[in-house]
Amino acid sequence: MKDIVIISDLHLMPERPETIALFLRFAEDIAAKADTLYILGDFLEVWWGDDDPATGYQVVFNRLTKLVTENNTDIFFMHGNRDFMIGNALAKQCHFKIIEDPHKISYKGQDILLMHGDTLCTDDIEYQQFRKMVRNPEWQQQFLDKSLDERFQIAKSVREKSQQSTSEKNEYIMDVNQAETDKVFIDNHIKLMIHGHTHRPAIHHKNINGHETTRIVLGDWHSTGSYLHLNASSDLQLQTYQ
Ligand code: MN
């Protein structure tokens, strides 16, 4: 039986050294002992191309590398809405594998759907349009063809606009859409879904078309961390790391 650890929404950035320190400790205490680590997006607060020297992040990247090469923990990474520009070069450097969103795994004979969670928030039409644009490989190539400085400038202006419109949006718009979530359960023939993104950690049980379903929402990381541990003995429950 594989020992699987799942995290998301760490939003790591050099300007928040305490969260980086928390992750380094978590890597040692928890992730190093697991067979597999899934990172379900927004691991980094911002990322605008693997050519960024990103000196403030190297301590994190080195720890990921060590997890794989010394601790024998396989790492699978899914893009979030903040680190969707993480590419194959960084994956190679840190020895993780990039997985698509959604990604289905099988555990104890049960299929589990892993997602970042932003695609479930369909009430945020403005964001979904933005997502469609920036996830287009052609847009990404054109973006990467610009200098790092130009990319930072573009990202900054996009960010300012997004922060302004986010503050104007209703709470429900920023959460998952129930009809969309039901549809993802039905279309993927699954009863268990795990995602992050909304920063509303919870375990939701719901009967959909006669099937009991469970949706686990991972929390974000600041002074404490949130993770899920799948192993032979543990029940499905969200854990806090501090
Ligand atoms: Mn997110």
Side-chain angles (χ1 to χ4, degrees):
M1 185 67 62
K2 278 205 172 177
D3 205 321
I4 298 176
V5 170
I6 308 176
I7 54 175
S8 74
D9 302 276
L10 286 82
H11 295 271
L12 297 180
M13 60 194 302
E15 295 80 1
R16 236 184 260 154
E18 67 285 359
T19 314
I20 289 183
L22 187 70
F23 171 71
L24 296 177
R25 212 151 41 77
F26 175 84
E28 197 71 30
D29 281 354
I30 310 289
K33 293 165 191 156
D35 297 305
T36 311
L37 173 68
Y38 284 95
I39 303 173
L40 301 186
D42 288 356
F43 180 62
L44 307 182
E45 175 73 1
V46 285
W47 193 255
W48 301 118
D50 293 355
D51 52 337
D52 185 346
T55 48
Y57 281 118
Q58 293 307 318
V59 62
V60 172
F61 299 157
N62 291 341
R63 193 61 190 86
L64 291 179
T65 301
K66 189 179 165 198
L67 274 175
V68 179
T69 58
E70 290 182 34
N71 307 126
N72 297 314
T73 303
D74 291 328
I75 305 176
F76 295 94
F77 172 83
M78 181 183 287
H79 290 123
N81 51 300
R82 296 199 167 268
D83 51 15
F84 60 87
M85 291 302 294
I86 285 179
N88 293 328
L90 189 66
K92 198 175 171 204
Q93 182 194 332
C94 301
H95 297 257
F96 59 73
K97 293 186 189 79
I98 297 176
I99 52 173
E100 293 294 313
D101 179 359
H103 178 81
K104 206 187 266 188
I105 60 170
S106 178
Y107 193 77
K108 289 186 184 173
Q110 176 175 218
D111 283 340
I112 306 175
L113 199 68
L114 307 177
M115 307 176 79
H116 176 58
D118 56 331
T119 56
L120 299 170
C121 302
T122 53
D123 291 316
D124 194 345
I125 291 157
E126 190 186 23
Y127 169 68
Q128 294 302 334
Q129 281 169 349
F130 173 77
R131 187 184 193 280
K132 201 174 165 195
M133 177 179 82
V134 300
R135 295 302 182 96
N136 181 321
E138 279 176 35
W139 183 93
Q140 294 194 351
Q141 194 48 59
Q142 282 177 12
F143 186 72
L144 290 172
D145 287 342
K146 297 179 196 300
S147 74
L148 253 182
D149 272 347
E150 273 180 281
R151 275 177 264 161
F152 289 152
Q153 286 308 319
I154 295 168
K156 194 167 165 251
S157 76
V158 167
R159 190 128 190 225
E160 280 160 2
K161 268 187 228 151
S162 137
Q163 274 169 348
Q164 197 194 348
S165 74
T166 301
S167 65
E168 291 161 2
K169 280 172 192 163
N170 286 327
E171 278 284 291
Y172 87 89
I173 289 181
M174 309 295 290
D175 203 354
V176 303
N177 173 285
Q178 278 304 323
E180 177 64 19
T181 306
D182 290 359
K183 187 176 179 296
V184 170
F185 270 108
I186 294 162
D187 290 352
N188 289 281
H189 310 283
I190 43 124
K191 292 179 183 129
L192 179 57
M193 180 194 295
I194 299 167
H195 69 83
H197 179 64
T198 61
H199 301 191
R200 300 176 196 211
I203 299 185
H204 301 275
H205 298 285
K206 187 179 180 187
N207 190 297
I208 302 171
N209 291 354
H211 297 289
E212 287 303 326
T213 69
T214 304
R215 180 169 63 91
I216 304 180
V217 186
L218 295 155
D220 59 318
W221 286 48
H222 280 287
S223 51
T224 63
S226 172
Y227 71 103
L228 194 67
H229 204 162
L230 307 182
N231 60 18
S233 55
S234 75
D235 290 330
L236 280 177
Q237 55 179 335
L238 284 170
Q239 316 259 4
T240 300
Y241 186 76
Q242 53 199 357

